[in-house]
Amino acid sequence: MVQFNNETRELSIKVVYYGPALSGKTTNLQELFKKIDPKVRGRLMTLDTKDDRTLFFDMMPVFFRTSTGVKVKLKLYTVPGQVMHESTRRIVLQGSDAIAFVADSRRSEAASTLAYWNNMLKNLEANGLDYRTLPIVIQMNKMDLPDARTEAEFGDLKEIISPMVVPAVAIRGEGVLETLYALLQLCYRSLDARIGLEGKWKISEQEFLACIFSHVDMRGTKLATVGAPR
Amino acid sequence: MTLPPSVLQAQATLGELVDLKSFGEVCQSFAELYRVGLKVFDAQGNKLVDVKVGNADFCGYIWQKPDGRAQCIATVSRVKSEEVPEEAKPTVFDCFSGCRYCVQPVVYEGDVIGRIVFGPFVPEDLVRLPQGLTGISKDFDEKLAAGYLQKIRRVAQATSEKIVKHFGDLVDVLVFTGHKNQLTARLHIEAMQESYRELQEKNRQLEASYAALKELDRLKSNFIATMSHELRTPLTSVIGYSEMMLEGLGGPLTSEQREYLGIIMEKGENLLQLITSILDISKIEAGRTRLVIAEVDVGQVLRDAVATVLPLARKKGVKVVWEPSPLPRIHCDRDKVRQCIVNLVNNAVKFTPAGGQVTVDARPLPGERVALQVADTGIGIAPDHLARVFDVFYQVDGSSTREYGGAGLGLAIVKSYVEAHGGEIKVESAPGKGSTFTVVLPVRAAAGPVMSPVGTTQVAAG
């Protein structure tokens, strides 16, 4: 849950990349690491095993100050995908403000993707988080592979809630920024409704997103033409 | 259910992120390398490291003068807590003594978690001691102070900034590494705790369902025991009255009537035997069977048992061979052992085709034991069924059209009784050639609990 400190005027926001093993969660963070200006981000911390599989999580902090002097700290996490790390996934999910669910789009992965999706909803509930109101974006990753599902075929994930779906090829950096942008936009709106970002903290949606995305290499994304703020 | 707060939520302090002892050593060697003092504070202003190099005499001399002391304290306080920009860049602080400090905040993940104070050093361009220092007291010995100043290193401004930046980079790596290690270790523990909690919960559920199952099983055994008893009572009458009629107590009978009554009696006996077996096994399962141990002549028991089965064997055309041999008297439950032999011989006859042979044999074994053996020339048992023939209700041929009758209880009962005596039962078999069951009993059995053979098989397997 967003941590905010009125005295020091600080906001800490937690974003978690969730999904099955090898769906591309770490790849997302690595791409973001490449694209975000080192001035506004810290190191990418990866706790992995010898075989390059995520053991606990990856984490990258992004931080900025708004024009009204509010310090915003955004922490991006991934969860370990392998089935056996269930308890770690639950711990990392704790206090999330927004979730990117990274799905392997291939039809062959549909069953395990759905299982992880339901498992995530269960773990959110276990953490006292309401997935009906929590900002969640589904990233359909690996869209370049021949067996990939189309957006219309993702209905199985939309039975309980109906989150936005963003197509991606994370390994080529495609859709990675779009996912984060969409997620942070939802996240802003949810936080605004809860703690009054606009009214109380004097941070507009445009400024919130601009503070981050003006420090991001937007080349090759659709967002560049949409007009990255500032 | 909600999880306890994780280390991921917590904000770590500089002191927690580095190992203070080894960090102190790094600072010490760094300060010695550049021959300039070094201090490190955390965000709350606690001094974590303080290495003094070369300035002790100079500063000590100034400290002796009241004005000097006051101004020294003021400088130290500025260096320690005056605000500097929140980025990893050096800021210069000049001391009234002419010396200089270079200060850089430790910024981690966008937060200032401490500050590095490099100095005091003597700026390269300092020619003479400033008036502000020499005037702090009338008896200020300029020459002495200048001599002390020689012990403090002269550093060019650019160099000092480079050194501080270099040290800042070093601290950054230490902090990052420390944070990473801290998260790894703590998260490992948290994950273990969470898995443990989850396992405990599952264990509780399993225990509850196990208890429920055990209760159901007990109810089932009770029900069967009661039912068997209730079935046996009228059946005894059916058999008894048939027998009376056969003996002519009800008047003369035609030969057809005699034949029918014979069939009623025979089938009644079969049924009675089956019900008795069910009753026995349910008693065993309910833990209500007790051995009655007495000194027993095994030869006598074998003779009885063989005699019981002989009519069936004759009828089927199977030869039963038994050579009496001298055997020790043993302590056991006569009825149970007799029933074991009857069951084994019965089985042997049942699975041996006409013209075959069943051999009963007994011999003493070393270690105060006796082996009782029943061998047949019957159909035998396939190896993959061997381990399970002693399970309750287990039938090698479980199909509904099977050739041989029985409820699959005989061997289970034998095994329970034998093991309750502290003995064991073994089986060897070659399909198509025959089977040999060997019961080994101790000469002096202590009455053990008679346990369900399912349980004992599982324990043996585990």
Side-chain angles (χ1 to χ4, degrees), chain A residues 205-226:
Chain A
E205 180 177 320
Q206 203 198 353
E207 186 187 2
F208 180 81
L209 294 169
C211 278
I212 302 165
F213 288 94
S214 62
H215 293 286
V216 175
D217 177 4
M218 305 286 261
R219 279 173 301 176
T221 67
K222 291 183 196 110
L223 296 168
T225 52
V226 173

Side-chain angles (χ1 to χ4, degrees), chain B residues 5 16 21 72 77 103 120 122 140 156 166 183-184 197 260 310 338-339 362-363 372 417 434 445 452:
Chain B
E16 290 166 348
K21 189 165 174 293
C72 183
S77 146
V103 172
V122 180
F140 190 85
H166 174 63
L183 289 185
T184 309
R197 189 197 58 74
Y260 295 166
L310 220 46
R338 183 183 158 279
Q339 197 185 335
R363 59 180 190 280
L372 313 175
Y417 286 171
S452 159

